[in-house]
Amino acid sequence: MVRCISLDRDCADICTQAARLLQRKSEIAHQYLLLCEEICRMCADECGMHQHDHCQKCADACRQCAEACHAHHELITQD
C-alpha cells in the first residue's frame, strides 16, 4: 500500500495545481492536464488492485478525473 498512498498524494497535489491553473486561466493550464491525466490513470491502476472499499472509490474517482482531463487537454507545443 506504500506506492498506493504515495500516488494518491501525488495525484491530489497535481489535480489541485491543475484546478488552480484552470481557475486563473493560465496559458499552460490545458497542457498541464496531460500530466494530470497521466497521474490519475496511474493512481486508478494502483488503487484498483486493492480490494478495500476506499481504494475502489479512489480508483473510480481517478478514472473519472483522467477522462475529464483527457477531454480538455492540449498537446504541449513550443513556439
Side-chain angles (χ1 to χ4, degrees):
M1 296 278 298
V2 172
R3 183 168 190 263
C4 187
I5 294 166
S6 179
L7 285 173
D8 287 344
R9 294 178 71 186
D10 288 348
C11 189
D13 289 345
I14 289 171
C15 288
T16 298
Q17 184 61 29
R20 287 180 182 143
L21 291 170
L22 289 167
Q23 286 176 334
R24 68 175 190 236
K25 298 179 181 7
S26 169
E27 66 182 80
I28 65 159
H30 291 277
Q31 295 171 332
Y32 192 84
L33 293 177
L34 279 166
L35 177 61
C36 193
E37 177 186 359
E38 176 77 16
I39 188 64
C40 285
R41 291 196 191 283
M42 290 172 64
C43 192
D45 290 346
E46 181 66 29
C47 288
M49 292 190 296
H50 304 284
Q51 295 307 310
H52 304 289
D53 186 51
H54 63 272
C55 288
Q56 293 302 311
K57 287 180 183 178
C58 182
D60 289 341
C62 287
R63 283 186 201 97
Q64 289 176 21
C65 187
E67 290 304 315
C69 290
H70 182 76
H72 294 95
H73 71 59
E74 296 174 2
L75 297 177
I76 297 173
T77 59
Q78 294 181 356
D79 293 330

